[in-house]
Amino acid sequence: ETGVTQSPTHLIKTRGQQVTLRCSSQSGHNTVSWYQQALGQGPQFIFQYYREEENGRGNFPPRFSGLQFPNYSSELNVNALELDDSALYLCASSLSTGPGELFFGEGSRLTVL
Amino acid sequence: GIQVEQSPPDLILQEGANSTLRCNFSDSVNNLQWFHQNPWGQLINLFYIPSGTKQNGRLSATTVATERYSLLYISSSQTTDSGVYFCAVRNAGNMLTFGGGTRLMVKP
C-alpha cells in the first residue's frame, strides 16, 4: 500500500467525450506526476505538477491537461476522447521534483468506445 | 531522450528456480527503480537503486551506473512472483522512462 489513491478505478466513455481522473498523493508528498500505460507497453510520462503548476510535460497533446490543488491532490483531464486514449492511467507522488523514489497508485482504467 | 531496454522480454520458470532480469540504459541516471506490476495494474516498488546493491528477502538488485545497467535477481521463485517487472530511470528533468518490461510466469 503506497498511500496514493486514484479514482475512479474503471470507467467507460465514448469518442468525443471528456474525462476527469483524480489522485490523492501520499502524505507529505508535494509532487504528482501522471503516466499513461497502453496495453502491453510500459508507462509513458504525461506531465508533472509541483506547487500547483505544471513542471514538465511528455509528448502528449494539449487536450491532456491537469490541476494540482493546495493539498497536493491532482486531476487529469482529457478532452475530445479518442479510441487510442484507452489505457491505464497511473498517478505517482514523490517528496520533491528532484531525484527520489516515486510511488504509484492502483490506476484508473479508461475504455473509450 | 534516454533509452531503456529490458531483457528477456518473456520468461517462464518452474517454481523454485532462480532468475536474473537485466535493464540497460543509454545515459547516466540519478534515479533507477524496479517495479512489479500485479495483474490488477498496480506498480509495486521493489527497489530504488540508482547505484550499488540492495537485498529484500528473495529479491536483490545491483546497479552499475558507470556501465549503465541494472540487474534484478529473483531466487527460489514462487507463483506469486508472476507478473511484469519494469525498470524505470530518470537522468534529468522530471520524468521516469520505463523499459518495455519482462513478463514472468512461474509455474507450480
Side-chain angles (χ1 to χ4, degrees):
Chain A
E1 186 93 10
T2 63
V4 180
T5 59
Q6 294 187 240
S7 63
T9 54
H10 295 83
L11 68 167
I12 300 174
K13 294 285 188 178
T14 56
R15 272 187 306 174
Q17 285 189 312
Q18 178 265 346
V19 68
T20 297
L21 308 178
R22 295 176 176 83
C23 173
S24 293
S25 61
Q26 187 167 318
S27 177
H29 287 189
N30 59 17
T31 303
V32 173
S33 49
W34 287 90
Y35 289 77
Q36 181 198 65
Q37 185 178 19
L39 197 62
Q41 299 180 21
Q44 300 286 318
F45 175 73
I46 303 174
F47 45 53
Q48 181 184 82
Y49 276 83
Y50 171 67
R51 293 187 174 180
E52 303 178 50
E53 291 193 1
E54 189 179 291
N55 186 39
R57 188 178 185 92
N59 189 26
F60 281 82
R63 60 189 184 84
F64 286 78
S65 63
L67 286 172
Q68 187 181 32
F69 300 100
N71 65 355
Y72 306 133
S73 66
S74 177
E75 287 183 354
L76 165 65
N77 300 291
V78 187
N79 294 322
L81 284 167
E82 302 176 0
L83 297 180
D84 285 348
D85 296 332
S86 295
L88 179 67
Y89 289 85
L90 294 161
C91 169
S93 76
S94 55
L95 274 173
S96 70
T97 60
E101 196 168 4
L102 269 68
F103 297 87
F104 284 82
E106 294 185 359
S108 294
R109 193 170 296 278
L110 171 66
T111 301
V112 182
L113 301 176
Chain B
I2 192 167
Q3 305 297 313
V4 183
E5 293 186 1
Q6 292 186 241
S7 60
D10 296 280
L11 185 58
I12 300 174
L13 297 174
Q14 206 64 36
E15 198 168 28
N18 302 328
S19 62
T20 301
L21 282 57
R22 187 176 180 103
C23 172
N24 292 331
F25 41 95
S26 61
D27 204 346
S28 59
V29 298
N30 58 26
N31 180 341
L32 188 147
Q33 292 184 242
W34 283 97
F35 297 95
H36 176 212
Q37 189 164 42
N38 66 22
W40 297 271
Q42 182 162 17
L43 287 170
I44 299 167
N45 290 40
L46 298 178
F47 294 102
Y48 169 69
I49 187 167
S51 64
T53 297
K54 291 185 178 180
Q55 181 159 5
N56 184 3
R58 297 181 296 104
L59 302 182
S60 63
T62 294
T63 297
V64 184
T66 54
E67 297 187 21
R68 298 180 184 170
Y69 73 88
S70 184
L71 302 174
L72 176 68
Y73 306 95
I74 304 174
S75 65
S76 304
S77 58
Q78 301 176 358
T79 56
T80 52
D81 294 332
S82 297
V84 184
Y85 289 80
F86 285 105
C87 165
V89 305
R90 180 166 60 186
N91 60 347
N94 309 309
M95 69 179 196
L96 276 181
T97 299
F98 283 76
T102 292
R103 287 151 189 80
L104 173 64
M105 178 183 295
V106 180
K107 294 186 172 182

